[in-house]
Amino acid sequence: MEKRIQNASLLLDTSLGHCFVDGLIHKDENTVYNCLRAYASVDYTQNAEEIFRSTVVAPLVQKVIPYTSSGVVGGSTGDELEEDYKQNKNLIAQDCTFLLEISSIENSGLHVFSFLANSFITEVLWAIQQGKPGAFSLGRPTDFLKNYKSSLGFLADLEGFRKPQVH
């Protein structure tokens, strides 16, 4: 019986994942909403956040902070983060607001998702660690402090995306 349950869970996760990716690609609000409701109801929120990270967020962030599995792509353009954060903030506004608005619909039960923290911030941190490993080097205190302050500003800006917009 356990094997059948595992197979059913795997099939559900795979099918739901394909549907979710298709909804994201086509920006189909109903599909995405229903997929998120399904993910929430079976407590697969991390799966949805990871799918969003890998299919939408990672390609966007790689345009701003390029990296490979071995680190920086084509040489570093410096370790300052302020401009990268501005570009990433613009990417959220352009390409991620769609999902953030759906997941923040009042009384929808979708408050269990944290796409900014578990998809976007996680990917930006990964890109910084891989593409700009010296960005938070304590050996360069002036640069460290500047990047630290830029990071705090970026996080404060992201908090604005979490609150439902009032029109």
Side-chain angles (χ1 to χ4, degrees), residues 105-125:
I105 294 173
E106 228 177 291
N107 299 320
S108 65
L110 301 180
H111 64 282
V112 296
F113 292 99
S114 185
F115 289 105
L116 282 176
N118 297 329
S119 301
F120 205 83
I121 292 174
T122 302
E123 184 60 30
V124 169
L125 176 61

Side-chain angles (χ1 to χ4, degrees), residues 6-41:
Q6 288 175 344
N7 286 339
S9 294
L10 182 61
L11 180 61
L12 172 66
D13 189 38
T14 302
S15 298
L16 198 51
H18 290 302
C19 185
F20 186 50
V21 168
D22 190 54
L24 288 171
I25 290 170
H26 295 100
K27 295 200 178 206
D28 183 336
E29 189 174 330
N30 286 331
T31 300
V32 170
Y33 177 80
N34 288 324
C35 287
L36 291 179
R37 295 271 309 172
Y39 275 119
S41 68

